[in-house]
Amino acid sequence: MKSPLKIVLVGLPGSGKSTFGRQVAKELNFIFIDLDHLIERETGKKIKDIFGSEGEGKFRELETFYLEKTLDGHDGFVLSTGGGTPCFNNNMDTINKKGVSVYLDVSLEEINKRLLKDQTGKRPMFAGLEAGEITLKLKNLLLQREYFYLQSKIKLSGEDISTEHLMSALMGFFRN
């Protein structure tokens, strides 16, 4: 028996993982799960508070725990990960073993526009930063994380990533 389709979206903050994930889940009639929101709901703490009081190490531990629990415990879904999720605790290997990873490769310029429009205050990592500072931070994050993102089974590029593009890529992936 084939295992249920588990689509896992990875990419930089602002690449559209949550927005696109909701659209794809609706189109496929799957549940949508945002890993950061799941962690906040399960722990009763905001991500920024976990980082602040318990440190990044504890957050990454929780992130890995809930990632594995989600990948093991649900039938067909679309999961939006945090931008750093694939980069710690062999999470990218786990994602690729248990799901179909999709890297949303959006230009830094487009992400910068989205973050500025989206009020960076909603994203503590970018709070109070000017456009140039956001671009520099994004470049540094991409340098650190792209190695992991590029291990994804499917890569979608550009600002016009759509449900149709993903469906087509999934069909091609399963044909091979």
Side-chain angles (χ1 to χ4, degrees), residues 11 20-22 47 50 68-69 76 78 86 90 134-135 174-175:
F20 182 60
R22 280 186 194 87
I47 301 294
I50 297 170
E68 290 176 356
K69 184 176 179 181
V78 178
N90 295 315
I134 291 171
T135 300
F174 286 110
R175 265 190 231 116

Side-chain angles (χ1 to χ4, degrees), residues 99-155:
V100 178
S101 53
V102 179
Y103 171 28
L104 302 183
D105 181 21
V106 178
S107 74
L108 296 181
E109 294 75 26
E110 179 62 24
I111 293 174
N112 199 329
K113 280 188 230 170
R114 291 176 184 180
L115 291 175
L116 287 170
K117 182 177 154 194
D118 193 33
Q119 303 147 356
T120 54
K122 291 185 198 173
R123 298 175 187 260
M125 179 184 289
F126 300 101
L129 299 181
E130 301 291 325
E133 295 170 311
I134 291 171
T135 300
L136 185 59
K137 187 156 188 93
L138 288 168
K139 283 181 182 176
N140 286 330
L141 285 174
L142 187 60
L143 280 172
Q144 296 166 17
R145 297 174 175 181
E146 191 170 38
Y147 168 80
F148 298 97
Y149 297 160
L150 289 173
Q151 294 174 40
S152 295
K153 295 176 180 178
I154 295 173
K155 178 182 173 188

Side-chain angles (χ1 to χ4, degrees), residues 8 10 13-14 22 31 41 50 69 75 81 86 94 99 122 127 131 134 141 146 151 153 156 165 170:
V8 183
V10 302
R22 280 186 194 87
I31 62 168
R41 190 176 70 240
I50 297 170
K69 184 176 179 181
D75 291 337
T81 63
T94 301
K122 291 185 198 173
I134 291 171
L141 285 174
E146 191 170 38
Q151 294 174 40
K153 295 176 180 178
L156 298 179
H165 288 128
L170 285 168

Side-chain angles (χ1 to χ4, degrees), residues 45-78:
K45 299 176 184 175
K46 294 282 185 197
I47 301 294
K48 67 178 183 170
D49 296 335
I50 297 170
F51 264 85
S53 64
E54 301 176 56
E56 183 179 7
K58 179 62 176 177
F59 170 73
R60 297 299 176 191
E61 195 179 293
L62 289 167
E63 184 178 56
T64 297
F65 173 79
Y66 287 109
L67 172 68
E68 290 176 356
K69 184 176 179 181
T70 300
L71 288 168
D72 289 340
H74 289 281
D75 291 337
F77 61 79
V78 178

